[in-house]
Amino acid sequence: MQHLVRFISSVGLMLAGQTFAYATTYPVTVTDVANRQVEILQEPKRIVLQDGRDLFTLALLDRQDPFQRIVAWNNIVKRADPNTWEVFEHQWPASANRATDMKFGDEGDLNLEAIVAAHPDLLVFQTRARASLENAGVASKLAALKIPVIFVDSDLDPVTNSQKTVELLGRVLNRENEARAYLDFYRSRLASIDQIIKQHSHRPVVFVEAKAGQSGASACCFTHGDVYWGKLVEAAGGQNLGSSLLPGATGDVTLETVLGKQPDVYVMTGSQFPGYTSVAPGFGFGDSVKQPMIDRSMSLLQERPGFAQLKASQNGRVFGIYHQFYASSWNRQC
């Protein structure tokens, strides 16, 4: 828990040193990440989140209690990353479980009647859900009910759009000071990375095994194309191997295929995924994150047949990282 609290507190300290004061004047018309004009009549107090990982952004903005506005959501954090959920739950015990978990589909499937029954004054959806909402007629029904919808993005193009998302929600939620403080921090980190990239002409080829070990010790290899972790690899100065191997956003490739390409760097993403089959390295937040357990998982996954033949393995360039960074405005922490 200390890591989570320390991170949020650092944003607060940056804010405390600022002299500016911004406040949103309502009604306000904003342009969301899908380039739609949306009018917000008053400060939203009752929010529906289609993707629960937007909780990370709310923790930057509503730092005293990121749950205070959520009335219904898809609590994917609790189901997919229970260790991190326990940290949030421990920090905000009175409000963490107050909202209804509607378990929306990842692409936007939802129960419109249940949403309306929650009496929201704002719906926040990831842009990947837009097509599903429009094809099902949900978007037009929400417009008829005069419930504003804004589209955000923290994973399809995480570096560019997570900044836009923080700025957008900061304005919509009357948290412009907090948004500006974080964006100043984010952009300073990004500038440092860009400066390092300019000093090197070689762009290493990187293979990201996403959710490494989630399906067991022998499973391999799920990866991302030119989205998600693929975008983060490119932003960090690498060449994402998955982008050339996959026809779509995500998919599985064999270890033999990876061996044939011999990437310079091999990255495994993990967290404490639920389930008995998972041997994923348990990266995340909180006191239950133990380095010896992570080391054992990383070693076990590197014992898979053929792995030792990878150039990245032989050169000591196999790394692990917290999986949820790719879908969070906190991605500059990696």
Side-chain angles (χ1 to χ4, degrees), residues 53 56 76-85 209-216 229 268-275 277-286 288-290 293-294 297-298 301 319-327:
R53 289 170 296 191
F56 291 102
I76 193 173
V77 181
K78 183 176 183 178
R79 293 190 295 279
D81 191 2
N83 175 64
T84 296
W85 171 250
E209 183 183 356
K211 302 181 181 180
Q214 184 186 35
S215 300
W229 276 109
M268 301 182 195
T269 78
S271 66
Q272 294 186 354
F273 299 116
T277 61
S278 178
V279 294
F283 300 109
F285 299 95
S288 65
V289 176
K290 305 296 185 182
M293 296 176 63
I294 292 173
S297 293
M298 293 289 292
L301 292 170
F319 304 98
I321 196 167
Y322 177 50
H323 179 70
Q324 301 299 347
F325 271 142
Y326 88 91

Side-chain angles (χ1 to χ4, degrees), residues 155-158 223-233 240 243 248-250 326:
D155 55 17
L156 291 176
D157 193 355
T223 193
H224 294 171
D226 192 31
V227 291
Y228 311 149
W229 276 109
K231 288 290 189 184
L232 287 173
V233 167
N240 180 50
S243 299
T250 65
Y326 88 91

Side-chain angles (χ1 to χ4, degrees), residues 6-330:
R6 188 181 305 120
F7 176 76
I8 297 173
S9 297
S10 69
V11 178
L13 289 173
M14 288 187 293
L15 177 61
Q18 305 291 333
T19 58
F20 55 72
Y22 298 94
T24 304
T25 301
Y26 300 92
V28 61
T29 298
V30 297
T31 302
D32 70 6
V33 178
N35 204 31
R36 299 162 56 254
Q37 298 290 306
V38 182
E39 183 180 33
I40 309 295
L41 296 178
Q42 58 191 3
E43 181 177 334
K45 301 294 186 182
R46 299 178 62 82
I47 297 176
V48 172
L49 296 182
Q50 174 256 334
D51 190 321
R53 289 170 296 191
D54 287 324
L55 176 65
F56 291 102
T57 301
L58 291 183
L60 298 173
L61 302 174
D62 284 333
R63 290 180 291 108
Q64 296 304 312
D65 184 357
F67 297 99
Q68 66 186 30
R69 305 179 200 249
I70 304 173
V71 294
W73 66 326
N74 176 21
N75 191 354
I76 193 173
V77 181
K78 183 176 183 178
R79 293 190 295 279
D81 191 2
N83 175 64
T84 296
W85 171 250
E86 288 177 5
V87 176
F88 274 101
E89 190 176 41
H90 188 274
Q91 183 67 16
W92 291 283
S95 58
N97 292 290
R98 189 170 55 205
T100 302
D101 183 3
M102 293 188 174
K103 300 179 181 178
F104 303 132
D106 195 50
E107 299 301 323
D109 299 331
L110 50 83
N111 185 326
L112 183 59
E113 291 184 2
I115 288 178
V116 174
H119 304 292
D121 51 22
L122 178 67
L123 274 64
V124 179
F125 288 92
Q126 289 284 322
T127 55
R128 66 175 182 275
R130 183 180 182 184
S132 177
L133 292 173
E134 292 180 346
N135 292 338
V138 174
S140 60
K141 292 175 183 176
L142 291 170
L145 292 169
K146 299 189 184 303
I147 303 175
V149 177
I150 60 172
F151 286 101
V152 300
D153 174 42
S154 56
D155 55 17
L156 291 176
D157 193 355
V159 174
T160 299
N161 287 343
S162 63
Q163 296 179 70
K164 293 180 180 179
T165 293
V166 171
E167 187 171 22
L168 171 66
L169 286 175
R171 191 173 185 203
V172 167
L173 301 179
N174 195 20
R175 290 290 185 266
E176 294 190 68
N177 286 349
E178 290 82 353
R180 286 173 184 265
Y182 178 68
L183 288 171
D184 285 347
F185 165 76
Y186 189 104
R187 288 162 182 165
S188 68
R189 293 288 294 270
L190 191 59
S192 297
I193 293 171
D194 289 342
Q195 189 60 38
I196 294 172
I197 293 172
K198 290 177 182 178
Q199 297 171 6
H200 300 273
S201 58
H202 175 63
R203 297 177 64 233
V205 176
V206 181
F207 182 76
V208 178
E209 183 183 356
K211 302 181 181 180
Q214 184 186 35
S215 300
S218 61
C220 192
C221 303
F222 178 70
T223 193
H224 294 171
D226 192 31
V227 291
Y228 311 149
W229 276 109
K231 288 290 189 184
L232 287 173
V233 167
E234 298 290 333
Q239 302 178 66
N240 180 50
L241 180 57
S243 299
S244 62
L245 296 178
L246 298 179
T250 65
D252 293 291
V253 299
T254 65
L255 184 56
E256 288 77 13
T257 298
V258 181
L259 279 166
K261 298 297 183 179
Q262 286 294 349
D264 300 297
V265 179
Y266 195 104
V267 178
M268 301 182 195
T269 78
S271 66
Q272 294 186 354
F273 299 116
Y276 294 108
T277 61
S278 178
V279 294
F283 300 109
F285 299 95
D287 297 333
S288 65
V289 176
K290 305 296 185 182
Q291 189 65 49
M293 296 176 63
I294 292 173
D295 292 341
R296 282 196 295 272
S297 293
M298 293 289 292
S299 295
L300 179 63
L301 292 170
Q302 291 181 72
E303 291 172 2
R304 289 174 290 187
F307 201 95
Q309 300 172 33
L310 285 169
K311 180 174 64 174
S313 176
Q314 296 168 1
N315 294 338
R317 303 196 72 186
V318 178
F319 304 98
I321 196 167
Y322 177 50
H323 179 70
Q324 301 299 347
F325 271 142
Y326 88 91
S328 163
S329 52
W330 297 7

